[in-house]
Amino acid sequence: MHAWEVDRPGPIEGEPLRFIERPIPVPGADELLVHVRACGVCRTDLHVSEGDLPVRRPRVTPGHEVVGVVAATGEDVLDHSVGDRVGVAWLRRTDGTCGYCARGSENLCAASQYTGWDADGGYAEYTTVPAAFAYRLPGEVDDVALAPLLCAGIIGYRALLRAALPPGGRLGLYGFGGSAHLCAQLALAQGATVHVLTRDPAARRLALELGAASARGAYDEPPEPLDSAILFAPVGDLVPVALRALDRGGILSVAGIHLSDTPPLHYESDLFYEKELRSVTSNTRRDGQDFLALAGRHGVRATTHAYPLSKAQQALRDLKAGRFDGAAVLVNDFPPRT
């Protein structure tokens, strides 16, 4: 099969990925072999490719927003069949026995593993996934539209939960890429007032088209104090900016897996009046199931830009340069080989 691998992590402009041929993987006893039909391009893939996230598996294949079809099942799999449409997301496996897993916080499991970081992901014709971590997908939404929901959407939902937005509240979104534009749609559907703060003029236009009350520069003040805010841009300098924009008792959640260093915080101006700063770590499977159900109910859809699988490195370059709004999706244009 064709697949991309991270050859030497480094700036994407230096082409750290290689497009290679390798054997189709064999699923483990509890796994599915999935023929990839589409794979979203996530900023985490860029962090893995550029080395912002430390290497966990040499020459790993990135990609964790996979829509595909089951091509084979491991011998212990009983609840999936060849031909089933499934989704493969970031969280790949947990131990299922630790205290975090027992209390429903499997996203904090110290033994957790991740698609496209610990194991090969969806920038390939085929990938594998533990059957217990595969999502069953609705049949009425096309592959390209679904793919970004599997990480950008789920993580945005987790970040929204962590931000504890009150009913009818005022939400600020800092950065407006793949995750934020899905989060905004869900928040708007639930009655929130959404203010978007981003450097990208095209993203500001998209935000207004989707129903945001305002769209301003990333360092600008929103037009009113915020009850909650989510930082999607991986820019630590924006943490105090967003905290100062919060109303009393407001909460800022930081959605990214990687963030540049934050400047010093000043207690009185940034944190006083019971403001809170929260991080977001991955997601639980329950988060994914709940978000996909809500997305279907409210018609949450990604604004997508399709690239052939063979152009994955270009898609990552365009993501880094901010050349598109919404989300990029790789389309596997190679026929099935099994």
Side-chain angles (χ1 to χ4, degrees):
M1 68 172 186
H2 293 93
W4 287 93
E5 66 176 22
V6 180
D7 184 24
R8 293 183 179 180
I12 196 65
E13 297 83 0
E15 300 189 348
L17 276 65
R18 289 197 308 157
F19 198 44
I20 61 167
E21 288 198 15
R22 62 163 62 139
I24 294 172
V26 176
D30 66 342
E31 294 180 345
L32 309 175
L33 175 67
V34 177
H35 176 237
V36 177
R37 300 207 303 209
C39 183
V41 177
C42 180
R43 188 165 290 275
T44 301
D45 303 331
L46 184 63
H47 293 319
V48 170
S49 301
E50 294 199 314
D52 295 326
L53 295 179
V55 172
R56 287 194 175 183
R57 179 189 176 112
R59 302 188 184 281
V60 71
T61 293
H64 55 274
E65 297 179 343
V66 178
V67 176
V69 174
V70 176
T73 62
E75 58 187 23
D76 293 343
V77 176
L78 301 176
D79 55 350
H80 288 82
S81 300
V82 172
D84 287 353
R85 190 186 192 208
V86 297
V88 182
W90 176 236
L91 184 65
R92 176 182 177 84
R93 193 185 290 275
T94 62
D95 63 23
T97 60
C98 69
Y100 300 111
C101 289
R103 76 185 194 200
S105 300
E106 65 182 4
N107 59 308
L108 301 180
C109 175
S112 56
Q113 297 178 8
Y114 299 94
T115 310
W117 193 19
D118 294 293
D120 290 331
Y123 284 24
E125 292 184 68
Y126 291 85
T127 192
T128 62
V129 62
F133 287 80
Y135 291 95
R136 298 184 184 275
L137 298 179
E140 64 273 12
V141 184
D142 70 77
D143 299 333
V144 171
L146 267 175
L149 303 188
L150 290 162
C151 178
I154 295 172
I155 292 298
Y157 175 65
R158 178 80 184 183
L160 187 60
L161 293 178
R162 293 284 291 159
L165 181 68
R170 301 157 296 176
L171 175 67
L173 301 179
Y174 287 80
F176 203 70
S179 193
H181 90 292
L182 295 169
C183 179
Q185 292 176 60
L186 183 57
L188 287 164
Q190 295 177 331
T193 298
V194 175
H195 299 288
V196 170
L197 302 111
T198 179
R199 66 181 183 178
D200 183 5
R204 292 198 290 269
R205 289 192 294 271
L206 176 60
L208 295 173
E209 290 169 5
L210 291 174
S214 72
R216 298 183 174 184
Y219 291 86
D220 293 340
E221 289 188 18
E224 59 182 337
L226 305 172
D227 297 302
S228 303
I230 304 173
L231 177 58
F232 288 102
V235 182
D237 284 348
L238 287 172
V239 169
V241 173
L243 284 169
R244 287 193 291 270
L246 293 174
D247 203 352
R248 299 181 182 205
I251 296 173
L252 169 64
S253 67
V254 179
I257 192 173
H258 172 77
L259 187 72
S260 62
D261 290 342
T262 60
L265 298 178
H266 300 283
Y267 181 66
E268 290 189 10
S269 61
D270 300 340
L271 286 170
F272 198 53
Y273 296 118
E274 299 192 351
K275 297 179 182 181
E276 295 183 41
L277 174 61
R278 297 179 176 180
S279 64
V280 178
T281 299
S282 184
N283 62 275
T284 66
R285 282 171 285 178
R286 178 63 183 270
D287 292 332
Q289 293 158 1
D290 289 350
F291 170 72
L292 291 172
L294 287 168
R297 184 182 312 156
H298 294 299
V300 174
R301 293 290 182 270
T303 297
T304 56
H305 305 270
Y307 292 73
L309 176 61
S310 59
K311 299 295 184 182
Q313 197 146 233
Q314 182 62 53
L316 286 170
R317 284 196 294 266
D318 291 349
L319 171 65
K320 184 177 182 179
R323 295 192 182 104
F324 54 76
D325 54 11
V329 179
L330 305 180
V331 177
N332 180 5
D333 48 359
F334 297 97
R337 300 195 184 201
T338 58

